[in-house]
Amino acid sequence: MPFGEMTITLDDVACLLHLPVRGQFYTPVSVSQEQAAELVVELLGEEYEFALRETVAQRGGYFSQQWLYESYNRNANFYGKYDCAARAWMLMLVGSTILADKSYTRVDAKWLLLFSDLSAVHTYSWASIALVCLYDNLNDASMFSTRALAGYATLLQCWIHEYFPTLGRRAQSDLNCDNPGFPRAMRWMYKQGKTKLPDYRPILDALTPNDVIWRPFETHRGSIPFDLITLYSGHLRGSTVVPYLPERCIRQFGFVQYIPPPPPLAPAYSDIDSDWIGYHASVDRILQPTRPVTYASETVPDYMSWYY
């Protein structure tokens, strides 16, 4: 931004979507048409040839959301295979939201293994899974040749609504989303905008710190208390490995922005997991140079010259 860096944080994901932050990472492995059909036999209770016809039709290890819905319906209402029905439903849910691909109509079979053990579904860091997917796709979308955005666009759009009240067209629902149980994203309704990209560029360039709500979720803490692990600094892993560096946007956590150190190189997978478990060390490291802000957009005197 014209006044420094900002990003979508784990705390933002937790408040907007009510996804759990704490938990283990999950890194998927792509599967072929045949492997996807074999997973369907094992986890969704469908016949192999029937599943293979679907993956062949999708030209890879994918299922259409409609096919998953029909599998859910068969298992829940006709066959009584409720574990299979649950897997189909949850795969359809994440495939149309936090893990959406550019088609927005199909789901990658590699995510099915997330639901192989239904008793372990709650042990994953779902906020990390969502954020890694969105970061990765925003990275692709920043390239001129990219024509579409995958990942959960609703998460990005609601984040913009929360932090930038003067940007774009916003429509609020009638829900009091600071009541326990309502994800903050339910505060917003879709509203068609008319402004085109070339018109947005000068609007973005003209933004000032006073145009930002730096800590929009303070009234939501009755639903989602602040968790210190969202200040973890290092890397997150999921569909890929991405840097997660809250020290570069520390004002969003209520601290004075200082000149951050250079981004670290991505470590081995095992080191990412151990760093995540021992998050207190990185939190202490990034908070030591700063203090709570006296006004929301506060920075150290030399930050802006360094930033530019």
Side-chain angles (χ1 to χ4, degrees), residues 1-6 9 163 208-210 212-216 231 246-258 290-291 293 295-300 303-304 307:
M1 308 306 294
F3 39 79
E5 292 181 280
M6 297 182 69
T9 70
Y163 279 88
T208 72
N210 292 330
V212 179
I213 300 175
W214 288 93
R215 300 177 71 188
L231 273 168
E247 64 266 33
R248 303 189 76 94
C249 60
I250 202 79
R251 286 177 289 183
Q252 291 173 230
F253 295 91
F255 295 95
V256 177
Q257 182 63 62
Y258 54 91
T290 188
R291 57 173 173 78
V293 294
Y295 58 93
S297 59
E298 187 176 4
T299 70
V300 297
Y303 171 74
M304 287 307 302
Y307 175 63

Side-chain angles (χ1 to χ4, degrees), residues 111-125:
W111 301 112
L112 183 53
L113 286 173
L114 273 166
F115 308 107
S116 57
D117 181 0
L118 292 174
S119 66
V121 169
H122 71 285
T123 66
Y124 294 113
S125 173

Side-chain angles (χ1 to χ4, degrees), residues 25 27 232-238 240-245 263-276 285:
F25 296 138
T27 298
Y232 154 82
S233 177
H235 288 78
L236 306 174
R237 66 176 181 87
T240 186
V241 173
V242 300
Y244 178 75
L245 305 172
L265 297 176
Y269 273 18
S270 58
D271 292 335
I272 293 175
D273 291 347
S274 61
D275 289 346
W276 176 249
R285 184 181 72 249

